[in-house]
Each structure stands twice: as structure tokens, then as C-alpha cells.
Amino acid sequence: VEARARCGAEGSVRILGCLPPVCETHRPDLLEQLLDDEGEERYVQFYRTVAQILLEGGADALLGETLNGQREASLVTAAIRSLERPSLPLMLSFEGTFRGTDLLPKPDQAPAVARWVLAEKAAGLRVEVFGLNCGSPEEILASLHALQESGWTQRLREGGVQIATYANLTDRAAVYKAGFDVRTVRPVRMREEVLGAGFVAWCHRFACVGATYCGGCCGSTPEEIR
């Protein structure tokens, strides 16, 4: 907030407060086990508390990020609804592969999740963005194609929801398939072919199938984001 004020950018820069996964990114299997064991209300309260702190700190909008599918996102929307602030901008970004509990990508799930996002907006939440992040560029593109081919890219647009993409540029496919565990992360190898101009080419592909916003996730630098 202070940096934005020093730049005189209050009218052009929004500060987003991040609502992260409650358990582990890329691990819907662990999420399902956690919620089945402990119940959902505890984590609705978690998101409510985090949201309140972020807003008190100066966030202009909230971003549910790298969410493990619709069930985790529903905890976010339940928490935001409980704040009783219908004008609060909300962005929902999903782990871009829509990985199942078997840890395999399921891009064909993207249309169903898009349908649910629009239903949440119709029910009164100010959802501005449907995002795909932290998957590889290839996996995110597959999810974008699933949205476009099913007609949900157009439905999102007509419903006032923009599509955002920010891909993971690291070489972690084998790790995610085996089950990502932050406690055992080893040095990360970058995918050289998707850095710099290589990433720009992917952003063009994303835009051609409906993405409005493109940014960078793991492995990105200012060079890619510019």
C-alpha cells in the first residue's frame, strides 16, 4: 500500500490479497482427506479470518489462488459471503490442470468448474476472474481448450468473468504426478524453452483461446511478465 502511494498509482494499481490452499498445492487427495477428517467449517473460518486481515491491511480485492478444485473454492466463497460485503471483488484461480485425487490432470473438469463459478456470481458474489495457474503451459492450454470447445469461454465472458492464466515454468511434472510435498522439495530446474520469448509465445496461445490476463507463476521473472 505504501509503495503504491509513493508511486501515485492509487488509481491504476489494485492490491490483491491471496487466499492460498489450506493443505498443499497440487494435492487434492490430501485436501479431501483433511476436509473429511476435520470438517469444512474450520477452513471456512480460516479463510474468513485471513480475508479480514488482508482487507484490514489494505487489499482492494481477494484472490483465491492455486485452489485444488471446486470444493476448496467453495470454502473461499462461503467465507467471503459471510463477510457480507457484496461489492468486494473476488478472483478465483485454480491449479490449472484440475488434477484429480489420483494426481492426474483432468482438463475436462474445467467447464464444470466454470459453470459453478458463474453460479456463485449469480448468487451475489462479485467474481471478476476465473484463473488457471501453476500448471505447465501445455496443461493450462488443454484446460483453456476444454473451456472453449464446450462454450464456457463465451459464457464466462457474457457473465462478466474474465479468464486469467499464469503458468508454472519449472520442470516438475514427475514431482506433481508422484505427489508434491513441500517438505521434500529439491532444487528446481527451469524449463529453458519456456523462458523469456518462449513464455511470450505461450501467452499468445493462451490469448487466442480466451485468456484476457496473462502473468507468471513459479519460475517467472520480470522478463517473462513484461
Side-chain angles (χ1 to χ4, degrees):
V1 175
E2 293 175 0
R4 180 176 64 180
R6 287 198 299 270
C7 294
E10 291 89 345
S12 59
V13 172
R14 283 203 296 180
I15 296 171
L16 309 183
C18 179
L19 302 173
V22 297
C23 184
E24 180 64 271
T25 182
H26 299 273
R27 293 301 302 268
D29 57 327
L30 296 182
L31 173 72
E32 293 295 323
Q33 180 181 336
L34 180 72
L35 298 182
D36 290 346
D37 290 346
E38 300 188 13
E40 296 186 355
E41 181 53 38
R42 176 175 182 176
Y43 295 98
V44 171
Q45 179 60 44
F46 164 78
Y47 278 129
R48 183 187 302 122
T49 300
V50 174
Q52 289 171 329
I53 292 169
L54 291 169
L55 293 169
E56 290 169 5
D60 302 305
L62 295 176
L63 167 65
E65 190 169 40
T66 326
L67 299 172
N68 285 293
Q70 182 176 318
R71 188 178 185 187
E72 189 160 48
S74 71
L75 307 178
V76 173
T77 57
I80 301 308
R81 190 171 282 113
S82 73
L83 296 178
E84 299 183 348
R85 293 182 55 173
S87 64
L88 177 64
L90 177 63
M91 306 173 189
L92 295 171
S93 190
F94 298 85
E95 192 269 309
T97 72
F98 295 98
R99 203 174 301 278
T101 54
D102 59 2
L103 304 183
L104 298 178
K106 297 202 169 33
D108 59 314
Q109 294 301 305
V113 178
R115 181 187 298 113
W116 173 80
V117 168
L118 279 180
E120 288 292 273
K121 179 164 184 161
L125 291 179
R126 186 180 165 185
V127 182
E128 295 186 349
V129 169
F130 175 95
L132 305 169
N133 77 282
C134 212
S136 72
E138 294 86 353
E139 291 166 332
I140 285 179
L141 187 63
S143 294
L144 287 171
H145 276 299
L147 289 170
Q148 186 180 60
E149 292 164 7
S150 63
W152 281 97
T153 299
Q154 182 64 27
R155 291 186 181 98
L156 286 168
R157 185 178 297 116
E158 291 170 351
V161 177
Q162 304 299 314
I163 297 176
T165 60
Y166 44 118
N168 187 321
L169 308 186
T170 65
D171 187 10
R172 306 306 292 275
V175 172
Y176 295 139
K177 186 175 180 180
F180 180 78
D181 186 339
V182 71
R183 296 168 299 180
T184 59
V185 170
R186 297 293 181 266
V188 177
R189 187 175 75 86
M190 306 303 300
R191 292 182 56 191
E192 297 297 331
E193 75 278 11
V194 297
L195 300 181
F199 184 65
V200 174
W202 276 105
C203 288
H204 283 294
R205 294 187 182 112
F206 298 156
C208 285
V209 285
T212 306
Y213 302 118
C214 287
C217 197
C218 304
S220 299
T221 70
E223 181 180 358
E224 282 75 40
I225 295 171
R226 281 197 300 266

